[in-house]
Amino acid sequence: VDSTKRYWEEHADEKNQYENRLIEIENQIKSLVEEFRPCFAKISEISNSEPPQPPASAQLDELYRRISQLEAEIDAAGLLAIRRKKAIQSQIESLRHQIPELSALVSDQRTAIADELAKQLADLENREQSIDEAIFSLEREKNSILAELRKKH
């Protein structure tokens, strides 16, 4: 211990450089951790939440609601309202013809949303990994400096 202390007293400039570097490393680690927090929060948010509904999904829901409404009108029409029932049935068939196209659009939009979320997640996870690697490298350098400062000379 005395030889180590004496060595660093004789090499004060070198010791100061090491100590200053340790302070820089700690500040860089703190900065990286602060940078990591929002990244981690966003990863958690994307991973744990339901994806947003595709815009066309509301249109499809409205289409089904309108068909149900028209079917209820047919049921409510009297036996003698044959012409009215046929007109309503024609409207229903017209709306039903829109279902496949709108369903395909919803499916495409879901896929696009999922792809975008997967890309965002991958980008965030890559950023997280690079931050982890930077912190690991800084910790390794810090440990090396601390070992040098403790080494018997």
Side-chain angles (χ1 to χ4, degrees):
V1 175
D2 287 334
S3 65
T4 302
K5 184 177 180 181
R6 190 173 38 250
Y7 176 85
W8 288 118
E9 286 171 357
E10 293 170 2
H11 298 87
D13 287 344
E14 186 181 358
K15 183 180 181 187
N16 282 337
Q17 287 176 353
Y18 279 135
E19 289 173 343
N20 287 336
R21 181 60 187 141
L22 286 172
I23 292 169
E24 288 174 14
I25 289 171
E26 285 301 320
N27 289 335
Q28 287 176 321
I29 290 172
K30 285 178 188 173
S31 176
L32 287 167
V33 167
E34 287 304 312
E35 186 179 337
F36 174 75
R37 285 186 185 155
C39 183
F40 180 75
K42 189 68 177 172
I43 288 171
S44 180
E45 176 187 323
I46 290 172
S47 299
N48 297 325
S49 64
E50 288 293 318
Q53 286 296 316
S57 184
Q59 293 171 305
L60 186 59
D61 291 345
E62 176 58 25
L63 187 64
Y64 281 120
R65 189 194 62 73
R66 182 69 182 130
I67 289 170
S68 293
Q69 224 176 18
L70 290 171
E71 287 172 339
E73 283 184 39
I74 287 178
D75 292 342
L79 292 175
L80 300 176
I82 295 172
R83 191 178 283 159
R84 171 93 177 111
K85 287 182 177 183
K86 284 184 178 181
I88 294 172
Q89 188 61 43
S90 176
Q91 288 179 333
I92 290 172
E93 293 307 315
S94 174
L95 293 174
R96 283 193 176 139
H97 286 299
Q98 296 174 31
I99 292 173
E101 184 178 333
L102 206 45
S103 291
L105 180 59
V106 168
S107 179
D108 291 346
Q109 288 176 346
R110 275 198 180 106
T111 300
I113 289 169
D115 290 348
E116 177 58 28
L117 290 175
K119 182 189 176 307
Q120 287 178 15
L121 196 56
D123 290 346
L124 288 166
E125 287 170 344
N126 287 338
R127 183 66 192 130
E128 176 188 20
Q129 183 178 356
S130 70
I131 291 170
D132 283 345
E133 289 169 359
I135 290 172
F136 180 76
S137 176
L138 288 167
E139 289 287 350
R140 194 171 51 235
E141 182 183 358
K142 176 181 156 184
N143 291 336
S144 175
I145 292 171
L146 291 172
E148 181 64 30
L149 289 171
R150 290 185 197 114
K151 184 167 72 175
K152 293 189 188 255
H153 292 275

